[in-house]
Amino acid sequence: MSWFVFSLIAILFWSGSDLFSKMGSRPDDKLSHWKMVMAVGAVMGAHAVIMLCMGTPFQMSDIITYLPASLLYILSMIFGYVGLRYIELSISSPVCNSSGAVAAILCFALLGQAISGLQLVGIILVCAGVFALSYIEKKQDDAERAARRELADVKYERSVLAIVFPLLYCAIDGLGTFADALILENSNILEDSANIAYELTFLLMAVVAFVYVVLIKKERIRIGKEKVKLAAGLSETIGQYFYIFAIGANAVVAAPMISSYCVVSLIWARLFLKERLTPRHYAVIAVTAVGIAILGME
């Protein structure tokens, strides 16, 4: 299978992860992001064990080798989960997934990977779209914002932080993708081994989250009520599995192409979450989507 097919599979499952993560991030649950970490880490840990039992090459030192990318990815996801409590998936996903542009710039500037003039146009469109979305969300009238969210029957705690967390995700995830490409290019670690290292690191973070939520905050976890979070974890794990092979084969193009899963996420948000935005939002999102699509071209 080529990097292109791997990218398409990652797009499908990561858009599903977006949907389930949003459904599992309730505005009234201030610990929802740590519960998401627990769910995702548990599923990833289980997958890592399965891969090890199947004889996938792995050394404990691989965890250290891949740790910079693992920590950046996990940190970005935590910020992303927090942000989903404050903002619609329709806005959050395009901003978060513009991290592909950050990764493309870093790969081009520091790794010397090729980028065409057309792809440069795509990067400019993505950056302009992210800035415009941030500006619109910040300046939008409170009454207009409240009416928009009333249509989706969602009450958010605050709006001032709404755009901050997706922007943090975008920047940190972009750095993670760059670190990913750098490690895979300059070390002997294999894609499978890197994936196991990442999943075991996420499992460790899940244990930390469990200690914080259950032992320190004394909150009971009912697995029956967390099925959506587990579905998010399963989708995230499958998407990650195929993503790392795509990045290993063609990072400078695969990273921004996979970022286009935000377009599929928008479809899920409209169909299942009944999210409705203003014409300005849709116009800017369209520009961002065009930029991401251009970045996926060779």
Side-chain angles (χ1 to χ4, degrees):
M1 298 175 70
S2 68
W3 68 267
F4 183 78
V5 176
F6 291 145
S7 298
L8 290 178
I9 296 174
I11 287 171
L12 176 62
F13 281 97
W14 270 357
S15 65
S17 178
D18 260 5
L19 173 64
F20 293 128
S21 297
K22 176 59 179 177
M23 293 172 66
S25 300
R26 301 191 307 273
D28 59 346
D29 185 359
K30 294 183 178 181
L31 297 175
S32 65
H33 55 293
W34 291 120
K35 295 175 184 176
M36 281 296 309
V37 170
M38 290 166 58
V40 175
V43 176
M44 285 194 173
H47 180 257
V49 172
I50 292 173
M51 294 294 290
L52 289 172
C53 291
M54 292 174 61
T56 304
F58 179 76
Q59 304 177 46
M60 292 304 295
S61 60
D62 291 336
I63 295 179
I64 303 301
T65 300
Y66 198 68
L67 191 60
S70 295
L71 292 180
L72 286 167
Y73 281 142
I74 293 171
L75 180 61
S76 69
M77 290 177 67
I78 293 174
F79 280 126
Y81 293 144
V82 175
L84 287 174
R85 296 211 313 266
Y86 302 114
I87 197 169
E88 294 92 332
L89 178 60
S90 304
I91 297 176
S92 174
S93 189
V95 174
C96 289
N97 296 313
S98 296
S99 60
V102 176
I105 292 172
L106 291 174
C107 287
F108 169 71
L110 301 181
L111 296 184
Q113 295 188 1
I115 188 170
S116 68
L118 186 60
Q119 289 171 336
L120 179 60
V121 172
I123 290 174
I124 294 173
L125 289 177
V126 167
C127 294
V130 170
F131 174 79
L133 278 174
S134 305
Y135 180 83
I136 290 173
E137 188 66 13
K138 183 176 183 298
K139 294 296 184 180
Q140 190 176 38
D141 180 75
D142 288 340
E144 183 180 355
R145 183 185 294 110
R148 189 182 85 222
R149 289 168 177 169
E150 186 70 26
L151 291 174
D153 193 27
V154 175
K155 305 297 188 297
Y156 292 100
E157 295 174 351
R158 293 176 289 176
S159 294
V160 64
L161 295 178
I163 203 66
V164 173
F165 291 110
L167 286 174
L168 286 172
Y169 178 103
C170 175
I172 298 172
D173 187 69
L175 288 172
T177 302
F178 169 72
D180 195 334
L182 186 63
I183 292 170
L184 292 176
E185 184 175 303
N186 295 282
S187 71
N188 294 323
I189 189 171
L190 302 174
E191 284 88 350
D192 269 338
S193 302
N195 193 48
I196 291 176
Y198 171 66
E199 292 179 333
L200 291 178
T201 304
F202 217 126
L203 176 61
L204 178 60
M205 183 60 69
V207 173
V208 173
F210 178 85
V211 170
Y212 178 70
V213 173
V214 178
L215 301 184
I216 297 179
K217 289 297 184 178
K218 308 296 183 183
E219 182 150 338
R220 295 182 61 184
I221 302 296
R222 297 177 176 85
I223 296 180
K225 293 186 177 181
E226 306 298 343
K227 293 180 180 178
V228 172
K229 292 184 176 65
L230 290 172
L234 181 60
S235 297
E236 182 68 31
T237 301
I238 295 174
Q240 173 65 25
Y241 179 77
F242 287 98
Y243 161 81
I244 198 165
F245 286 101
I247 289 295
N250 194 343
V252 74
V253 177
M257 177 182 171
I258 292 173
S259 295
S260 68
Y261 78 81
C262 66
V263 178
V264 184
S265 296
L266 293 179
I267 296 173
W268 301 152
R270 185 66 182 89
L271 292 177
F272 297 104
L273 303 178
K274 308 303 180 184
E275 291 185 358
R276 298 180 182 178
L277 305 177
T278 66
R280 286 179 296 173
H281 284 99
Y282 283 119
V284 174
I285 288 171
V287 170
T288 306
V290 169
I292 292 172
I294 290 175
L295 284 171
M297 298 178 181
E298 286 192 279

